[in-house]
Amino acid sequence: MSKHQRLRAALDSRELFTAMAAHNPLSAVLAEEAGFHGIWGSGFELSASYAVPDANILSSGTHLDMMRAIASVTSIPLIADIDTGFGNAVNVSYVVPLYEAAGASAVVMEDKTFPKDTSLRADGRQELVRLEEFQGKIAAAVQAKSDKDFVVIARTESLIAGLGQEEAITRALAYEAAGADAILIHSKQPTPDEILQFVKAWSGTVPLVLVPTAYPQLTEKDIEALGKVGIVIYGNHAIRAAVGAMRTTFAQIIKDRGIQHVDPDLPSVKEIIMLQGDERMRDIERRYLR
């Protein structure tokens, strides 16, 4: 099956599909190596890697180029985080084919205003567009795709914005009616209670997508038991792991005034060269360099 078909099949079967965030091709390769089913092309992680806020500071082209680079070195489906769609329904109509051509198997689009503010920022500016306007953006995305198995996921930020369960359910059902293949419901509460309440009340037919960043105590076993969730996204763990490891290593080198204590704990240069695809390049050399 193609990458698109594998993601679509997982959603249709309600077999839990796990996606790990990535901010560059190397982190995506490591996620695939670890055994995740897919890659989350995270806008938050990419923004962090550029040391700018996750607030549509980076251009759509920068994100698109990174998604293309990630898709080119991985064999598992890529779910691209396109924030608010980089504009209105007209922008969405032009953007979605570009992501499909770049190798993404899905896009996730959220119902906040442009420019957005990151969902988990304390006291962030969380403003939602009109329900009807976002329905139009979802419909435009569905119409713009060329492969029937390409997945369009609608993300409602109703709970993030503090608008309550009724508004979240109303919007999610409206987005399903507009053609969304799945609904991502997000929360920044430190326990999963708010999310569990939404899942229990969900009467739609499309699967849900969860991002348990704020409530890590909800395990995959717990999520599978809910019966309504198709995808779980680990939304920022690659960049957080990288930052933590680099801080520790850099501080140790400064302390020791040398690398004598950190070097034994680091992956070898040989391993990094392997991850760069050196074996493939050597094979090409053997075949064609005469």
Side-chain angles (χ1 to χ4, degrees):
M1 291 192 292
S2 70
K3 294 180 186 180
H4 296 2
Q5 289 171 333
R6 284 155 61 190
L7 178 57
R8 174 69 67 175
L11 288 176
D12 290 345
S13 68
R14 302 298 171 95
E15 179 182 343
L16 190 63
F17 184 95
T18 60
M20 171 53 70
H23 51 277
N24 59 25
L26 182 58
S27 57
V29 167
L30 292 172
E32 180 174 4
E33 179 185 84
F36 290 97
H37 301 133
I39 304 296
W40 169 239
S42 168
F44 175 88
E45 289 219 356
L46 184 60
S47 296
S49 73
Y50 276 81
V52 299
D54 179 25
N56 296 127
I57 305 298
L58 298 179
S59 70
S60 60
T62 299
H63 188 264
L64 178 64
D65 286 345
M66 188 58 70
M67 297 304 101
R68 183 181 295 108
I70 287 173
S72 72
V73 296
T74 52
S75 62
I76 54 179
L78 168 63
I79 303 170
D81 172 18
I82 64 170
D83 291 335
T84 62
F86 306 105
N88 62 20
V90 175
N91 301 83
V92 171
S93 293
Y94 282 90
V95 163
V96 166
L98 298 179
Y99 276 86
E100 189 174 0
S105 294
V107 292
V108 173
M109 187 165 49
E110 62 192 76
D111 55 2
K112 286 195 292 203
T113 56
F114 179 90
K116 58 164 276 185
D117 199 352
T118 190
S119 300
L120 298 179
R121 177 172 173 259
D123 302 319
R125 174 181 45 79
Q126 312 299 342
E127 301 168 350
L128 274 56
V129 298
R130 292 181 300 109
L131 182 153
E132 295 80 7
E133 179 180 347
F134 196 71
Q135 278 189 303
K137 292 169 78 168
I138 291 297
V142 173
Q143 188 278 328
K145 69 179 186 177
S146 59
D147 190 319
K148 64 180 177 61
D149 290 316
F150 186 85
V151 172
V152 175
I153 301 173
R155 168 174 167 172
T156 181
E157 296 286 274
S158 300
L159 300 180
I160 293 288
L163 300 179
Q165 293 286 342
E166 185 176 350
E167 178 72 9
I169 291 291
T170 297
R171 282 180 173 261
L173 289 172
Y175 302 161
E176 178 184 13
D181 297 301
I183 300 294
L184 192 159
I185 181 66
H186 208 11
S187 171
K188 59 182 177 182
Q189 296 301 312
T191 69
D193 296 351
E194 188 174 54
I195 287 295
L196 294 176
Q197 184 180 349
F198 180 94
V199 173
K200 183 178 180 180
W202 177 239
S203 61
T205 60
V206 300
L208 299 175
V209 180
L210 302 188
V211 188
T213 301
Y215 46 96
Q217 62 270 49
L218 192 68
T219 67
E220 289 180 19
K221 183 178 180 181
D222 299 328
I223 293 171
E224 286 174 329
L226 298 174
K228 299 180 182 180
V229 179
I231 301 174
V232 58
I233 293 172
Y234 299 108
N236 51 39
H237 294 78
I239 196 72
R240 289 164 63 193
V243 168
M246 284 190 285
R247 272 184 169 161
T248 298
T249 298
F250 296 168
Q252 190 68 46
I253 293 171
I254 290 293
K255 177 183 177 182
D256 296 339
R257 301 184 67 191
I259 58 174
Q260 63 271 30
H261 291 138
V262 301
D263 207 57
D265 296 326
L266 296 177
S268 67
V269 173
K270 181 179 179 180
E271 184 176 353
I272 301 302
I273 291 174
M274 181 272 293
L275 289 169
Q276 290 176 278
D278 183 72
E279 184 177 342
R280 177 173 180 265
M281 190 183 85
R282 300 305 168 199
D283 182 57
I284 293 171
E285 287 180 342
R286 285 190 296 270
R287 293 185 182 200
Y288 306 117
L289 284 185
R290 301 175 180 174

